Amino acid sequence: MNRKTLVLPAVVGLLTPVLAACGGSDSGGKSGDAIVVGTTDRFTASSDAPAPFDPAYTYDSGWNVLRQVVQTLMVQPRGGGDPEPEAAEDCHFTDKGNERYACKLRKGLQFSNGDPLTAADVKFSIDRAIAINDDSGVAGLLSTVDTVETQGDNEVIFHLKTADATFPFKLSTPVAGILNSKQYEKKKLREGFQVDGSGPYTMQAEVKNNEVTKITFTKNPHYKGLLTPKNDKAVMESFSDAAAMSTALDKGDIDVMARTLTPDQINELQNNTTGNVNLVEMPGLGIRYLGFKTDAPTVKNKAVRQAMAQLIDRDELVSKVYGSQAQSLYSLVPATITGHSNSFFNKYGNPSVDQARTLLAQANITTPVKMTLHYTTDHYGAATAKEFEVLKKQLNDSGLFDVSIEGTAWDKFRPAELKGQYDVFGMGWFPDFPDADNFLSPFFGKDNFLNLPYANSEIRNTLIPQSQREADRLTASKSIADIQDKIAEDVPILPLWQGKQYIAARDDVMGSEYAMSTSSDLQLWELSRGVSG
């Protein structure tokens, strides 16, 4: 098949998905009529992370499960844009100050077990997430909620502490998922791997050694909402690495290969334009960065963090590890988002050993500065290890640092990071919604999801509230730019790169170009079986 381009309605500032026909075998998926999707995301339960699929807890790849099962009042439409009513039939601010938000529910909503879904369930779910306030930081998305009021069975009113023009987006995230109070306790997480809701699917997990191996999603006959599931059943299968996932695609054991393909796999698929597997390139807002425990002795002096910002060569890093699949990033806010500013480039310019040496000397820092960079081995793809090798070499070649690197599996890495056990660590961020606020507030607001000790009162108490007040996001750009400039000065976080996202799908699978949102969440309801071309 020849290379082909699919033209979709444009999304401001984002790329149009491109499909390239690639090599593969002729067999289809081997799970009957179900669409089988492979992923390298791993879902484990442990004493540190006992509730991987509870909306009040999970704040990472677990959202790929919750979005299929748990319904929200609002939903982000395919391709991006402002959120639209989902479990609600209408939602809007009722005041000029963006502090009172009212939603009217669709009629006849039911949970998957047939129980009626009412405004009381919405209130229960939001109040529950706020009350549990888990260390994962996901409740921070609801930090502007003061009280939740119900009027009858079908109307919910949110009274906000401060103006929050981004609140409709937040109601589209899984932490605002609507739960049945008969199945979830008000102040306790639901441990294990079962999820119940009113979304387009029900789910059943297969578990081995406290780790999910496969999840079967079955169309929910009680679902009423904006989405239109295009299949009756979908399966998510978890693989130990991208190579095993690719082998399964070649053998026809799976139909779709999602997060996360390696750069080498993407290059191979791009260069092979014959066969019956399509590589889909989609708009992506995922970013990677280094985080700092700013009260740790090794990096407490901001001159150390500034020197690292001055030394790291993003262009070389991207070129050696990711090639055309990523681009250098000089702010936490991606280049395609309204309000983006190249604050780190404006502050530090091109990499310079001499300028980094001057920064350290002026602060009386003894060199070489010894430290360990920590990264997760199994959460962001196999290329992460190579990325940290490049970072290590760049810093050590300057003679100003003595860096070692250490990789840890995600189920141990994330709890250790939250407990402050790492002075310097690598993380990724897939946004909850496509707005600059979501690349700033979760990091620098109260109860930030990284549990960073860094706290800038002007950012937290003035600039973030100012930006959230503005319904016109262009008007909010001044406050957003000021936040980015202060982060470049203090370097509590060091942005590295912004990536594209890819899915590989067999030719008889339809809808793969919509199967992942711009926030990198799977949308299994978009997939269907078609005719191989």
Side-chain angles (χ1 to χ4, degrees):
M1 180 180 292
N2 295 325
R3 184 178 295 273
K4 56 188 177 182
T5 300
L6 177 69
V7 180
L8 296 179
V11 179
V12 176
L14 298 181
L15 300 173
T16 299
V18 174
L19 284 77
C22 309
S25 66
D26 293 329
S27 58
K30 295 180 179 177
S31 290
D33 292 333
I35 305 291
V36 186
V37 178
T39 176
T40 57
D41 289 336
R42 312 300 294 273
F43 307 110
T44 60
S46 66
S47 57
D48 290 324
F53 294 153
D54 191 313
Y57 169 80
T58 191
Y59 203 7
D60 51 41
S61 53
W63 278 19
N64 282 331
V65 175
L66 294 182
R67 287 201 181 276
Q68 323 308 319
V69 180
V70 179
Q71 194 174 18
T72 48
L73 288 171
M74 305 290 285
V75 68
Q76 295 171 44
R78 57 158 58 172
D82 292 336
E84 300 175 350
E86 214 297 67
E89 65 177 34
D90 177 70
C91 286
H92 60 277
F93 284 105
T94 62
D95 64 332
K96 294 183 179 180
N98 294 335
E99 294 182 353
R100 186 179 187 274
Y101 195 74
C103 291
K104 184 177 181 181
L105 300 183
R106 293 177 184 269
K107 295 180 180 179
L109 289 174
Q110 293 177 288
F111 290 105
S112 59
N113 66 354
D115 287 349
L117 188 160
T118 69
D121 296 299
V122 177
K123 174 177 170 58
F124 165 81
S125 304
I126 300 295
D127 287 346
R128 175 180 183 269
I130 294 171
I132 290 175
N133 192 25
D134 191 83
D135 289 343
S136 68
V138 69
L141 286 168
L142 304 174
S143 63
T144 57
V145 175
D146 185 13
T147 59
V148 183
E149 175 190 355
T150 61
Q151 292 189 357
D153 287 340
N154 292 315
E155 188 170 1
V156 185
I157 300 171
F158 299 91
H159 300 276
L160 307 183
K161 300 173 185 176
T162 59
D164 186 359
T166 67
F167 190 64
F169 282 102
K170 295 171 181 177
L171 287 182
S172 73
T173 63
V175 69
I178 306 169
L179 305 175
N180 189 337
S181 61
K182 296 179 182 178
Q183 297 171 316
Y184 288 81
E185 295 185 43
K186 185 174 183 179
K187 296 184 178 181
K188 183 180 178 182
L189 292 173
R190 185 176 181 180
E191 298 183 2
F193 300 103
Q194 187 56 40
V195 186
D196 292 284
S198 58
Y201 296 99
T202 61
M203 63 84 74
Q204 186 63 48
E206 296 181 23
V207 181
K208 183 177 181 180
N209 297 326
N210 289 323
E211 183 172 2
V212 171
T213 58
K214 183 184 295 184
I215 301 175
T216 299
F217 297 95
T218 303
K219 190 174 180 179
N220 174 14
H222 297 292
Y223 171 71
K224 291 183 179 180
L226 183 68
L227 307 176
T228 304
K230 297 176 176 60
N231 60 74
D232 292 331
K233 184 176 291 186
V235 174
M236 182 188 298
E237 188 167 345
S238 185
F239 290 87
S240 58
D241 54 51
M245 180 169 62
S246 179
T247 298
L249 185 69
D250 289 340
K251 292 170 59 179
D253 291 339
I254 64 175
D255 301 294
V256 178
M257 187 162 63
R259 295 194 345 190
T260 305
L261 283 69
T262 67
D264 287 343
Q265 287 174 330
I266 294 168
N267 287 333
E268 181 180 351
L269 291 169
Q270 285 175 330
N271 293 330
N272 185 351
T273 58
T274 62
N276 65 344
V277 173
N278 289 325
L279 179 69
V280 187
E281 177 188 306
M282 293 175 291
L285 298 176
I287 67 171
R288 298 288 175 83
Y289 58 89
L290 293 178
F292 297 92
K293 184 185 177 186
T294 52
D295 59 0
T298 53
V299 295
K300 185 174 183 178
N301 193 313
K302 75 176 181 180
V304 174
R305 309 191 300 270
Q306 290 177 329
M308 294 175 70
Q310 186 68 72
L311 285 171
I312 289 175
D313 188 335
R314 295 169 176 82
D315 289 347
E316 180 188 58
L317 175 67
V318 168
S319 176
K320 287 187 173 181
V321 183
Y322 298 102
S324 62
Q325 299 150 30
Q327 64 187 70
S328 299
L329 183 64
Y330 295 92
S331 167
L332 280 176
V333 179
T336 49
I337 293 290
T338 299
H340 163 82
S341 173
N342 284 318
S343 298
F344 274 79
F345 188 84
N346 297 339
K347 172 73 176 175
Y348 301 101
N350 293 316
S352 170
V353 174
D354 289 341
Q355 291 182 39
R357 183 180 293 110
T358 298
L359 285 167
L360 294 171
Q362 289 176 342
N364 297 316
I365 301 295
T366 301
T367 58
V369 179
K370 189 173 184 178
M371 66 173 61
T372 301
L373 306 186
H374 294 267
Y375 68 93
T376 176
T377 57
D378 60 348
H379 195 65
Y380 301 119
T384 307
K386 183 178 180 181
E387 177 181 344
F388 274 75
E389 289 286 355
V390 173
L391 290 171
K392 172 186 173 181
K393 188 174 189 304
Q394 288 184 355
L395 293 169
N396 287 349
D397 282 355
S398 72
L400 302 175
F401 287 85
D402 179 8
V403 168
S404 59
I405 59 177
E406 183 176 329
T408 306
W410 179 253
D411 64 330
K412 299 290 191 300
F413 176 91
R414 177 63 168 147
E417 181 274 312
L418 285 172
K419 293 175 183 177
Q421 295 176 6
Y422 301 146
D423 294 357
V424 189
F425 53 92
M427 287 279 284
W429 177 250
F430 300 100
D432 311 315
F433 51 86
D435 185 276
D437 178 74
N438 194 239
F439 292 88
L440 299 171
S441 295
F443 295 90
F444 308 116
K446 185 180 179 182
D447 299 323
N448 68 84
F449 91 103
L450 291 175
N451 199 24
L452 292 176
Y454 175 80
N456 183 301
S457 59
E458 185 178 2
I459 291 176
R460 182 172 293 180
N461 300 324
T462 302
L463 294 176
I464 288 178
Q466 279 179 358
S467 71
Q468 291 178 338
R469 250 191 306 270
E470 299 292 346
D472 183 342
R473 304 314 286 160
L474 281 173
T475 305
S477 293
K478 175 60 170 64
S479 300
I480 291 168
D482 288 346
I483 296 172
Q484 293 168 83
D485 288 345
K486 291 183 182 300
I487 297 309
E489 169 66 29
D490 293 345
V491 201
I493 289 176
L494 177 54
L496 297 173
W497 56 268
Q498 170 185 350
K500 300 175 184 178
Q501 58 185 10
Y502 298 85
I503 280 182
R506 305 193 69 79
D507 230 1
D508 64 343
V509 172
M510 309 286 287
S512 56
E513 67 273 18
Y514 296 115
M516 191 178 288
S517 72
T518 56
S519 299
S520 297
D521 291 328
L522 286 175
Q523 301 176 149
L524 298 181
W525 56 85
E526 295 284 2
L527 297 172
S528 63
R529 190 81 64 189
V531 178
S532 180

